Every structure is written in C-alpha cells, then in structure tokens.
Amino acid sequence: MGTGGRARSGSVGGMSFGAGVPTVQVGDLKDGDFLLDVREDDEWKAGHAEGALHIPISEFVARYGELTEAAPQDGRVHVICRSGGRSAQVTMYLAQQGIDAVNVDGGMQVWEAAGRPVVTDDGQPGHVL
C-alpha cells in the first residue's frame, strides 16, 4: 500500500497500490472526460493531457476547492499521475468525500504509449517524465 507520503510512485505499477480503488483504462476515456493530473510541476511542464486540471498531490488538500469548482457537478473525475500510484491515493480521498472518482490505470505512461496526445503549456508536443 502507498505510504501517504509525497514520494513519487516511480516505476511501481499502479496495480500494487490501493486494492479496491475504482479504476478505468486509458482506452475507455473519451474526449471531454474530466481529467485531474496530480503529478508535480516538472512532470506537468514536460507534457500533459490537453485540457486536464493540474493540482499536484503535494498541494492537493490545500487546493481542493479548485477541483470542486472545475469538476462537472454530477460527472466523474478521472485522476491520473505518471503510473497510477499517486492518483490511486487521490482517488481514494475523493471517494471518501463522496465524489465519483476513478484512477486512470497506468497513468500518463500508458496514455503516451497508447498514442494519446501529450502537450506542453504552449500546445507543443510534450513527453512524460
């Protein structure tokens, strides 16, 4: 299980974190699905999914209000990180708050490998750290 700390999940597979965490596959995401990226600033700047909301896990509790303002009222929040560990922790927290949240299995690594677009803040092609 995750330690709840702020360490990056590294190369640890998402499935080893948080058994029972609601999960969705990258291939099941549709254009327009609400995506919350909880990676740190350096990871976000290197490349992210276009249109995602960025709140680093290290700032998540303090910035929680930004999510509740941006998220669709009756919609699902798809939480993503690099490989699925940090996003699993945030997904569990959101579920405890009564929010319909799911962890994106495999994170941005699988997103990129599946050929989904990864962009920088200025819209240029990016990459996953």
Side-chain angles (χ1 to χ4, degrees), residues 4-9 36-41 43 54-63 79-81 85-91 93:
R6 294 183 182 155
R8 291 189 181 172
S9 56
L36 170 66
D37 190 323
V38 298
R39 296 174 302 147
E40 296 303 322
D41 287 337
E43 295 172 286
H54 179 229
I55 304 177
I57 192 171
S58 60
E59 303 171 17
F60 188 75
V61 174
R63 295 176 56 189
V79 189
I80 197 165
C81 67
R86 289 170 288 177
S87 53
Q89 293 175 35
V90 171
T91 299
Y93 175 82

Side-chain angles (χ1 to χ4, degrees), residues 75-99:
R76 175 169 281 176
V77 175
H78 301 84
V79 189
I80 197 165
C81 67
R82 180 175 179 264
S83 64
R86 289 170 288 177
S87 53
Q89 293 175 35
V90 171
T91 299
M92 290 304 289
Y93 175 82
L94 292 174
Q96 291 167 357
Q97 309 308 309
I99 293 177

Side-chain angles (χ1 to χ4, degrees), residues 2-127:
T3 62
R6 294 183 182 155
R8 291 189 181 172
S9 56
S11 61
V12 177
M15 295 312 291
S16 65
F17 281 85
V21 174
T23 303
V24 65
Q25 303 300 313
V26 166
D28 294 332
L29 292 172
K30 298 172 198 58
D31 290 343
D33 281 346
F34 186 82
L35 194 62
L36 170 66
D37 190 323
V38 298
R39 296 174 302 147
E40 296 303 322
D41 287 337
D42 61 331
E43 295 172 286
W44 171 265
K45 288 176 183 161
H48 54 267
E50 191 171 7
L53 174 65
H54 179 229
I55 304 177
I57 192 171
S58 60
E59 303 171 17
F60 188 75
V61 174
R63 295 176 56 189
Y64 179 72
E66 292 176 42
L67 171 66
T68 58
E69 284 185 23
Q73 290 304 314
D74 293 318
R76 175 169 281 176
V77 175
H78 301 84
V79 189
I80 197 165
C81 67
R82 180 175 179 264
S83 64
R86 289 170 288 177
S87 53
Q89 293 175 35
V90 171
T91 299
M92 290 304 289
Y93 175 82
L94 292 174
Q96 291 167 357
Q97 309 308 309
I99 293 177
D100 180 11
V102 293
N103 186 32
V104 179
D105 190 36
M108 287 300 296
Q109 291 178 319
V110 171
W111 177 278
E112 185 176 48
R116 293 285 186 103
V118 176
V119 298
T120 61
D121 284 335
D122 60 4
Q124 297 300 310
H127 64 279

